[in-house]
């Protein structure tokens, strides 16, 4: 192949048969590698016994949100992801849990397709191999799309990459090939006949993206805004209004939605068949497209625009966001869960680069190559938002690193392409060099895979307990378990829960943590009754006001504010009221839905966080926390004197030791009070937790490890898989009120 032919392939000025076959070959190779990497854990899962009734347990809590929705439970029943899982299960005939377990690797690897198309336009088809692998298999994305990670992430990279590929295809012919200012001799004929159709296609892609992924609005606007701005800066002479027409049409058809597509399609068809109708009127058509885009944003996306503005104001220190939230909660000082969410924490720079590319050297090479590519092919700057989102993971959390792979892959592909041309400018040479740099990029990924192992979000005993509750509970029953397991409870039990992955802020977090943390069964019982009564009263008011229940969900669910009555009391009054529930019984309505309280070993691992939120003061805020931390191996016990000896030689005088033996039986040892703490250990796994008196005395610990009779008459044990998990039913009738 001559250099001229190579340049044609690189700039994407034509789609020959050879180029199309090259893209397909690159996609096939990168897809196969990505799927293989995603499936590396499968042998460990197959022999793990991490199943319930023949279904795999999921590796992410959010997977259960969509699985429950597909079964008609929870608040996400009519969402696209739920409907997709429902359709796949119906077509395949497989159990929902197994569909959700196996689909992520195959769906996530589809991100390689638009990545290959982008690489073919910017560099050449062979560059699609490293670009596709980097987009679909870099750690930041891989760790969110492994087997068992059935969340929207399986398509939320593929869809915006498709949009980016469409914008690149639409705008590339309109921009300069170098950064040098262009004279009129470099301008293209002002052919705008295909722009309306292309804008509509991109707009449909944007609509599908934000329809499937509700949080994609900001990403879609960032892509359109940045590509539009880059197009205006880089436009060839006479092409700026063409850029406005293309981007304005895309954004307008996206925001105005499906009802507008027939109108856009008719206009595009007329222009395609009669291009003379638009020649000379491009400016007017562009203004119309821009007007439609702005109108669509103001009319249909006011809430999203306001939310983005609010978040921006918070980061810029220009808005009292926290105070606004407190006002919505009636001035209550409620805790925030964000401090305990792992993926929201800021990573160290070295760890950030590892998430982006598997190794810092690959990440730096990819960034350097991408910047070089941008210098040589300015249109490549339109992929900069993906690299920017990846780097923003340093501030916004590691999940954003999933976006950076396509830019890093382009950088690696460009380095290989330059090296291949310097060595021998032939097609076969470029494929060999691209394969070589792909292998080098995959090496740290494959090496890191050895450190991953199946980590289910809950134990088989927990899942089976939830399923048992589903068999005995009434249809309108409500489950109280820590919010992390809310979605799983909705799926396995098929019942509503108090708190889940979307309802874990202060209004749900505080009551839930209080029930787990309090040492008083009476207080826990009354808080649960208080919340159930409030939910019933709000549902009754909603029905009377004609509010429509959430569609496709059983039983009927209505909007619910758990702290409505507490907020009406004011911060100090609410705090006093909650405290009084531990000492004074109050009357509650007789006919309230059944309620179940589930406690588990998983709670003990995060007891420090749970007690922090449960001890919270509604007037003054943080009020302390219990301690629960893992103890390393090598600890020895003197059961006669109640002393634990650590590796460092120090002695810890214990109040109690709860040991689960190899048969799953609990053996308890106790010593005189006034000592330093408690140890809970599992001989089967080697796990050992040190707890202080607050964490050990919390109801979640005592109801898991203690005598169930101690919690009568308020709670009755209904499922006992202790000491791993227990489920209690809240008793409605416990006698006369004090």
């Amino acid at each position: 192949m001559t250099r001229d032919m190579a340049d044609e392939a690189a700039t994407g000025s034509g789609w020959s048969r050879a180029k199309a076959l090259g893209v397909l070959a690159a996609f096939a190779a990168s897809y196969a590698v990505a799927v293989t990497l995603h499936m590396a854990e499968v042998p460990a899962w197959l022999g793990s016994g991490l199943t319930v009734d023949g279904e795999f347990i999921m590796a992410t809590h959010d997977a259960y949100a969509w699985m429950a929705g597909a079964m008609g439970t929870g608040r996400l029943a009519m969402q696209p992801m739920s409907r997709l899982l429902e359709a796949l299960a119906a077509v395949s005939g497989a159990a929902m849990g197994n569909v959700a377990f196996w689909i992520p690797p195959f769906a996530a690897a589809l991100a390689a397709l638009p990545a290959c198309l982008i690489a073919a336009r910017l560099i050449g088809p062979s560059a699609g191999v490293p670009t596709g692998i980097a987009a679909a298999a870099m750690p930041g994305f891989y760790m969110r799309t492994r087997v068992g990670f059935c969340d929207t992430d399986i398509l939320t990279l593929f869809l915006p990459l498709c949009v980016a590929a469409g914008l690149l295809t639409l705008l590339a012919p309109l921009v300069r090939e170098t950064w040098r200012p262009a004279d009129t001799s470099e301008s293209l004929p002002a052919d705008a006949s295909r722009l309306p159709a292309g804008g509509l296609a991109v707009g449909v892609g944007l609509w599908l993206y934000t329809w499937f992924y509700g949080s994609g609005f900001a990403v879609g606007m960032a892509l359109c805004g940045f590509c539009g701005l880059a197009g205006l800066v880089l436009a060839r002479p006479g092409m700026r209004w063409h850029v406005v027409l293309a981007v304005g049409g895309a954004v307008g058809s996206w925001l105005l939605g499906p009802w507008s597509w027939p109108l856009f399609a008719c206009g595009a068809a007329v222009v395609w068949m009669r291009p003379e109708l638009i020649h000379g009127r491009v400016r007017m058509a562009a203004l119309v497209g821009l007007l439609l885009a702005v109108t669509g944003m103001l009319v249909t996306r006011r809430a999203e625009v306001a939310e983005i503005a609010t978040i921006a104001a918070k980061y810029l220190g220009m808005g009292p966001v926290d105070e606004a939230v407190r006002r919505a909660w009636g001035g209550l000082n409620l805790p925030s869960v964000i401090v305990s969410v792992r993926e929201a924490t800021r990573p160290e720079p070295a760890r950030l680069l590892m998430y982006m590319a598997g190794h810092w050297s690959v990440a730096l090479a990819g960034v350097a190559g991408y910047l070089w590519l941008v210098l040589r092919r300015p249109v490549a700057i339109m992929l900069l938002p993906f690299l920017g989102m990846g780097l923003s993971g340093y501030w916004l959390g590691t999940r954003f690193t999933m976006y950076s792979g396509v830019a890093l892959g382009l950088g690696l592909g460009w380095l290989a392409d330059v090296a291949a041309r310097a060595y021998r400018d032939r097609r076969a040479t470029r494929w060999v060099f691209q394969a070589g740099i792909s292998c080098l990029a995959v090496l740290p990924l494959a090496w890191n895979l050895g450190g991953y192992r199946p980590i289910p979000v809950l134990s088989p005993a927990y899942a089976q307990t939830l399923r048992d509750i589903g068999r005995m509970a009434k249809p309108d029953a409500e489950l109280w378990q820590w919010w992390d397991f809310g979605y799983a409870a909705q799926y396995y039990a098929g019942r509503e829960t108090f708190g889940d992955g979307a309802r874990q802020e202060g209004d749900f977090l505080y009551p839930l943590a209080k029930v787990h943390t309090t040492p008083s069964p009476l207080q826990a019982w009354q808080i649960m009754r208080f919340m159930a009564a409030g939910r019933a009263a709000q549902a009754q008011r909603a029905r009377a006001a004609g509010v429509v229940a959430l569609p496709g969900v059983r039983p009927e669910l209505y909007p619910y504010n758990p702290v409505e009555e507490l907020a009406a009391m004011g911060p100090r009054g609410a705090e006093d009221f909650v405290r009084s529930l531990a000492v004074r019984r109050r009357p509650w309505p007789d006919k309230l839905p059944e309620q179940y309280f589930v406690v588990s070993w998983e709670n003990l691992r995060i007891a420090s966080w749970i007690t922090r939120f449960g001890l919270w003061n509604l007037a003054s805020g943080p009020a302390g926390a219990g301690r629960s931390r893992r103890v390393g191996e090598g600890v020895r016990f003197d059961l006669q004197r109640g002393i634990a000896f650590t590796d460092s030689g120090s002695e810890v005088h214990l109040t109690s030791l709860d040991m689960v033996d190899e048969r799953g039986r609990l053996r308890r040892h106790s010593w005189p009070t006034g000592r330093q703490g408690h140890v809970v250990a599992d001989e089967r796994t080697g796990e050992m937790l040190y707890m202080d008196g607050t964490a050990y005395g919390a109801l979640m610990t005592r109801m898991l490890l203690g005598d169930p009779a101690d919690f009568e008459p308020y709670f009755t044990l209904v499922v006992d898989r202790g000491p791993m998990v227990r489920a209690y039913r809240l008793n409605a009738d416990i006698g006369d009120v004090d």
Side-chain angles (χ1 to χ4, degrees):
M1 176 182 283
T2 66
R3 183 172 296 276
D4 290 340
M5 293 173 66
D7 288 342
E8 181 181 358
T11 58
S13 55
W15 276 95
S16 64
R17 181 173 179 272
K19 187 174 182 180
L21 291 175
V23 170
L24 289 176
F27 169 62
S30 55
Y31 183 84
V33 171
V35 170
T36 300
L37 291 172
H38 278 79
M39 301 281 280
E41 287 179 88
V42 169
W45 276 94
L46 293 177
S48 65
L50 297 173
T51 59
V52 174
D53 295 339
E55 296 184 29
F56 283 102
I57 294 174
M58 295 298 105
T60 177
H61 294 284
D62 289 346
Y64 286 110
W66 312 114
M67 294 163 62
M71 303 297 290
T73 306
R75 298 171 181 270
L76 302 176
M78 300 303 291
Q79 293 298 310
M81 183 70 181
S82 298
R83 297 167 74 176
L84 174 63
L85 282 180
E86 182 183 9
L88 290 173
V91 170
S92 66
M96 184 68 66
N98 292 333
V99 171
F101 180 82
W102 290 108
I103 195 64
F106 299 97
L110 290 174
L113 178 57
C116 289
L117 293 172
I118 291 169
R121 175 163 289 278
L122 294 176
I123 305 171
S126 59
V129 179
T131 306
I133 292 173
M138 284 303 179
F141 186 52
Y142 160 79
M143 287 190 289
R144 303 185 63 84
T145 53
R146 294 139 61 190
V147 287
F149 279 77
C150 188
D151 198 1
T152 51
D153 290 323
I154 64 174
L155 292 178
T156 51
L157 183 57
F158 167 74
L159 292 171
L161 283 178
C162 287
V163 169
L167 286 169
L168 190 65
T169 301
L170 201 59
L171 299 179
L174 308 179
V175 301
R176 303 190 302 271
E177 294 182 358
T178 68
W179 287 97
R180 291 182 295 102
D183 55 38
T184 55
S185 64
E186 295 185 42
S187 63
L188 292 176
D191 182 8
S193 62
R194 298 185 179 184
L195 293 181
L200 174 59
V202 173
V204 172
L206 283 162
W207 186 89
L208 288 172
Y209 170 45
T210 52
W211 170 75
F212 180 80
Y213 181 52
S215 301
F217 178 78
V219 175
M221 287 304 302
L223 281 176
C224 292
F226 187 85
C227 289
L229 180 62
L232 291 174
V233 172
L234 296 171
R236 298 171 185 267
M239 290 291 151
R240 284 193 172 88
W241 285 109
H242 291 68
V243 172
V244 174
L245 173 61
V247 177
V251 176
S253 57
W254 163 32
L255 296 179
L256 292 175
W259 69 267
S260 69
W261 296 346
L263 298 178
F264 277 93
C266 290
V270 170
V271 172
W272 190 294
M273 293 183 292
R274 299 285 301 278
E276 66 274 10
L277 295 177
I278 199 171
H279 285 311
R281 301 181 180 87
V282 172
R283 180 177 301 185
M284 181 60 67
L287 288 173
V288 171
L290 186 61
L291 179 63
L292 289 173
V294 173
T295 302
M297 183 184 302
L298 295 178
V299 172
T300 65
R301 297 286 179 163
R302 295 189 303 273
E304 289 90 338
V305 173
E307 182 180 359
I308 292 174
T310 300
I311 294 173
K314 179 178 180 180
Y315 278 102
L316 294 174
M318 298 169 55
V321 178
D322 294 335
E323 188 61 33
V325 172
R326 288 191 62 185
R327 285 198 300 270
W329 288 338
L332 296 178
N333 192 332
L334 294 171
S336 173
V337 75
I338 194 66
V339 295
S340 66
V341 178
R342 186 181 308 169
E343 70 177 18
T345 57
R346 178 182 294 186
E348 295 294 326
R351 189 165 183 81
L352 178 74
L353 295 178
M354 189 281 292
Y355 273 102
M356 291 175 64
H359 193 270
W360 63 267
S361 60
V362 178
L364 295 181
V367 171
Y370 174 71
L371 295 178
W372 187 4
L373 173 63
V374 169
L375 288 175
R376 295 298 302 273
R377 307 222 188 277
V379 71
I381 201 173
M382 294 183 183
L383 279 300
L384 187 61
F386 289 94
L387 180 59
M389 285 188 287
L391 293 173
S392 73
Y394 179 73
W395 297 276
L396 302 179
T398 55
R399 71 165 298 165
F400 285 87
T401 59
M402 64 181 277
Y403 292 101
S404 61
V406 63
L408 299 180
L410 287 171
L412 296 175
W414 175 251
L415 294 177
D417 189 75
V418 170
R421 293 188 183 190
Y423 178 72
R424 182 178 298 174
D425 192 8
R426 293 182 180 178
R427 180 186 302 174
T429 304
R430 285 195 291 276
W431 280 96
V432 170
F433 273 67
Q434 297 291 1
I437 204 166
S438 299
C439 291
L440 292 176
V442 166
L443 280 177
L445 302 180
W447 178 265
N448 289 332
L449 289 179
Y452 297 120
R453 55 187 176 86
I455 304 179
V457 295
L458 72 169
S459 66
Y462 200 151
Q464 190 61 60
T465 297
L466 295 173
R467 186 148 282 178
D468 291 345
I469 295 174
R471 296 189 181 106
M472 70 177 69
K474 295 180 180 178
D476 63 345
E478 182 179 53
L479 275 64
W480 284 62
Q481 71 303 299
W482 191 239
W483 67 264
D484 280 316
F485 308 102
Y487 289 143
Q490 292 165 18
Y491 174 68
Y492 287 118
R495 301 297 185 273
E496 171 66 331
T497 63
F498 189 92
D500 54 37
R503 295 175 296 161
Q504 24 71 316
E505 267 305 334
D507 47 352
F508 282 91
L509 182 66
Y510 171 76
L512 193 58
K514 196 69 176 179
V515 168
H516 280 75
T517 300
T518 177
S520 167
L522 171 62
Q523 187 179 35
W525 180 84
Q526 294 207 101
I527 290 174
M528 293 174 69
R529 297 292 282 173
F530 176 57
M531 292 295 157
R535 180 191 289 274
Q538 291 181 41
Q540 185 175 358
R541 291 202 307 268
R543 284 191 290 267
V547 176
V548 178
L550 291 178
V553 181
R554 56 181 190 275
E556 290 185 344
L557 296 179
Y558 293 91
Y560 172 49
N561 177 10
V563 298
E564 180 181 80
E565 293 186 48
L566 290 176
M569 302 176 191
R572 175 53 59 189
E575 178 66 23
D576 292 340
F577 171 77
V578 172
R579 289 186 179 183
S580 74
L581 297 180
V583 295
R584 177 188 171 194
R585 282 174 49 190
R586 297 174 179 268
W588 306 106
D590 293 330
K591 295 183 179 180
L592 291 175
E594 279 187 338
Q595 291 178 289
Y596 292 81
F597 184 36
V598 184
V599 291
S600 71
W601 188 275
E602 286 86 344
N603 296 151
L604 307 186
R605 296 173 182 145
I606 56 174
S608 296
W609 286 116
I610 296 177
T611 54
R612 168 185 165 86
F613 302 136
L615 294 174
W616 199 271
N617 188 294
L618 292 174
S620 59
R627 294 178 59 198
S628 176
R629 59 182 176 84
R630 290 178 183 251
V631 179
E633 297 180 0
V635 177
R636 297 176 294 105
F637 295 100
D638 182 339
L639 298 181
Q640 294 295 326
R641 295 185 294 163
I643 300 175
F645 300 94
T646 65
D647 280 341
S648 62
S650 60
E651 298 181 0
V652 179
H653 293 259
L654 302 176
T655 301
S656 70
L657 169 64
D658 293 271
M659 183 74 72
V660 182
D661 65 20
E662 295 292 343
R663 297 185 178 181
R665 297 174 302 188
L666 182 67
R667 293 183 286 113
R668 174 170 292 127
H669 305 271
S670 60
W671 299 274
T673 57
R675 296 188 174 213
Q676 292 172 300
H678 310 261
V679 168
V680 179
D682 188 343
E683 289 183 344
R684 299 169 300 180
T685 62
E687 184 177 15
M688 192 176 303
L689 301 171
Y690 173 81
M691 310 177 78
D692 68 0
T694 300
Y696 189 80
L699 213 56
M700 60 180 170
T701 307
R702 293 171 51 215
M703 294 181 78
L704 179 67
L705 304 177
D707 185 351
D710 293 343
F711 312 105
E712 296 280 1
Y714 308 107
F715 297 92
T716 297
L717 182 68
V718 292
V719 182
D720 188 1
R721 287 191 173 83
M724 293 294 102
V725 60
R726 281 175 169 175
Y728 293 80
R729 183 176 57 241
L730 181 144
N731 294 323
D733 183 8
I734 61 172
D736 297 333
V737 176
D738 294 342

